[in-house]
Amino acid sequence: MASVTLGGTPVNTISNLPEVGSPAPAFTLSRNDLSSVTLNDYRGKKLVLNIFPSVDTGVCAQSIRTFNEKASALENTEVLCISRDLPFAQARFCGAEGIENVSTLSDFKRGEFGKDYGVELIDGGFEGLHSRAIVVVDEKGKVIHTEQVSEIGHEPNYEAALNALS
């Protein structure tokens, strides 16, 4: 369990992020058209998993915008922005913001991603949503970088995540 804060109030996650050097846990998430996508669909690609509570909060929205801007320069890399938001909300946000270089994926159907990656919040005002975290996976499916952001209202360290790709 990781202890983080939400507006300065302590909250806890269900577990810890996957360990660096371990295989990335398998997942099945929903695309904006409600089709499913799995970790295996990205085999051979580097992944940046930008995990957050909701596209409808300022910091979460900013993280999508920032990774969208930086993603166009990344080679053989996909940035996956993952939350429990309904795919319709994610699609609305991306359309309104002109987001084209990242994929938004939802954990709304199964809810297993939050548990398997250790980011599901188990108490506090955002209980059941994801904490803010980054997991970077290499093209062989191995976790090469993680960041559990200590305050949910803060942005992740974008540069650390992107530097892990090189």
Side-chain angles (χ1 to χ4, degrees):
M1 170 178 2
S3 193
V4 297
T5 58
L6 173 60
T9 302
V11 294
N12 297 290
T13 65
I14 197 162
S15 185
N16 293 311
L17 293 174
E19 289 192 32
V20 170
S22 69
F27 61 74
T28 300
L29 297 166
S30 296
R31 293 183 174 115
N32 292 344
D33 64 3
L34 301 180
S35 66
S36 294
V37 64
T38 69
L39 177 62
N40 284 337
D41 291 326
Y42 297 101
R43 184 172 296 162
K45 293 198 175 269
K46 298 175 189 175
L47 300 175
V48 176
L49 309 182
N50 175 31
I51 306 161
F52 51 85
S54 175
V55 296
D56 288 321
T57 66
V59 177
C60 300
Q62 186 56 49
S63 74
I64 295 171
R65 286 185 205 105
T66 300
F67 275 122
N68 183 64
E69 177 184 313
K70 295 178 182 294
S72 62
L74 302 175
E75 209 171 295
N76 193 37
T77 303
E78 298 279 337
V79 178
L80 309 179
C81 298
I82 303 167
S83 69
R84 296 287 315 266
D85 288 300
L86 291 174
F88 313 114
Q90 293 175 337
R92 174 189 41 79
F93 173 82
C94 291
E97 295 282 334
I99 303 295
E100 297 177 348
N101 298 320
V102 301
S103 297
T104 53
L105 300 173
S106 177
D107 186 27
F108 88 103
K109 274 187 190 175
R110 293 173 176 76
E112 295 301 317
F113 177 89
K115 292 174 181 62
D116 294 343
Y117 277 76
V119 295
E120 183 176 311
L121 294 167
I122 59 171
D123 53 22
F126 281 6
E127 183 177 348
L129 298 179
H130 298 157
S131 64
R132 183 175 316 287
I134 301 291
V135 176
V136 180
V137 179
D138 71 10
E139 56 272 89
K140 294 177 184 169
K142 183 176 76 171
V143 175
I144 58 173
H145 171 81
T146 64
E147 178 189 7
Q148 176 67 71
V149 180
S150 61
E151 165 56 53
I152 293 172
H154 293 165
E155 292 181 62
N157 184 337
Y158 303 106
E159 296 310 313
L162 297 174
N163 288 339
L165 295 166
S166 29

